[in-house]
Amino acid sequence: MGLSSLILGIIALLISLSIFKDISLILAVVGLVLGIVSLIKKKNKVMSIIGIALAIISLGSLFLGEGTTTTSSNETKNYKIGEVVTIKNNSDEYTLKVTNVKETKDRNEYADEDPKQVFLIDYTYECTKTKEGLYVSNMNFKIVDEKGEAGYSYPIDTKSPQSITAGTTCKAQMAFGVNNKSKSVKLQFYDNMFNGNPTAIYEIEL
């Protein structure tokens, strides 16, 4: 267990510096648990301690390293379709613009969910500065329907986002489903998906 904790800690730390931070979170937690169990059983103490330390460093990098946006206020701001959100954190500077939201009748017969509505959302992000490459996907967004129930990503054909470098723009598309028929929805954007507070909220009338 000590060796496994050490290996997972190293991998988690390396991945925490990339764009695949959700994978790093899982590996860090597993490595931390294995390290603690190994330490309790007094097996491979040195490896266990190092593995625990690396897992903690990885978690710290995930939750603290990204920082918050450097806009004029720490409060979440509301935006309309077409308005530009400017984001600056410790590693990236970029702009985000949601350009279109429309309901679609397309459905995936193999999907587990049976949404009342599915929305296609077009968005554009433009990178000014980045250390590891900028990637904005549906994981950075949440949708909330008229009754306040969170929706979910829905698997139909969309234009996938790409990891981009400074001076590059990416136009992408995502699909979300909701369980309640709604005339208005809120689209929440999270610069740091591990932060509980959204960076921006789009209030959308349908």
Side-chain angles (χ1 to χ4, degrees), residues 185-198:
V185 294
K186 290 183 179 180
L187 182 66
Q188 301 174 342
F189 168 71
Y190 296 78
D191 170 48
N192 182 352
M193 64 186 73
F194 300 105
N195 188 341
N197 296 318

Side-chain angles (χ1 to χ4, degrees), residues 43-92:
K43 295 182 178 180
N44 298 322
K45 286 186 178 180
V46 175
M47 289 185 181
S48 300
I49 292 172
I50 296 175
I52 291 171
L54 290 173
I56 292 173
I57 293 172
S58 300
L59 291 172
S61 174
L62 289 171
F63 289 99
L64 300 178
E66 289 299 313
T68 57
T69 59
T70 56
T71 51
S72 59
S73 172
N74 289 327
E75 296 180 358
T76 301
K77 293 185 177 182
N78 291 340
Y79 292 83
K80 295 180 180 180
I81 300 299
E83 291 186 334
V84 176
V85 184
T86 300
I87 298 97
K88 295 181 180 180
N89 57 45
N90 292 340
S91 59
D92 301 315

Side-chain angles (χ1 to χ4, degrees), residues 16-137:
S16 71
L17 302 176
S18 72
I19 61 174
F20 303 105
K21 300 186 184 301
D22 53 335
I23 299 176
S24 177
L25 176 62
I26 296 171
L27 294 177
V29 171
V30 174
L32 182 61
V33 172
L34 289 177
I36 292 173
V37 172
S38 178
L39 196 60
I40 292 173
K41 291 184 176 181
K42 299 180 180 180
K43 295 182 178 180
N44 298 322
K45 286 186 178 180
V46 175
M47 289 185 181
S48 300
I49 292 172
I50 296 175
I52 291 171
L54 290 173
I56 292 173
I57 293 172
S58 300
L59 291 172
S61 174
L62 289 171
F63 289 99
L64 300 178
E66 289 299 313
T68 57
T69 59
T70 56
T71 51
S72 59
S73 172
N74 289 327
E75 296 180 358
T76 301
K77 293 185 177 182
N78 291 340
Y79 292 83
K80 295 180 180 180
I81 300 299
E83 291 186 334
V84 176
V85 184
T86 300
I87 298 97
K88 295 181 180 180
N89 57 45
N90 292 340
S91 59
D92 301 315
E93 292 184 11
Y94 62 100
T95 59
L96 169 74
K97 181 167 63 174
V98 175
T99 56
N100 190 39
V101 177
K102 64 180 180 181
E103 186 176 356
T104 178
K105 299 298 183 183
D106 291 348
R107 295 292 187 272
N108 186 332
E109 62 178 313
Y110 301 106
D112 294 330
E113 302 88 356
D114 183 22
K116 294 293 184 182
Q117 290 173 294
V118 175
F119 301 104
L120 283 174
I121 301 169
D122 296 287
Y123 65 101
T124 301
Y125 53 101
E126 182 175 356
C127 182
T128 304
K129 183 183 75 173
T130 183
K131 291 182 179 179
E132 300 292 337
L134 176 67
Y135 182 72
V136 179
S137 71

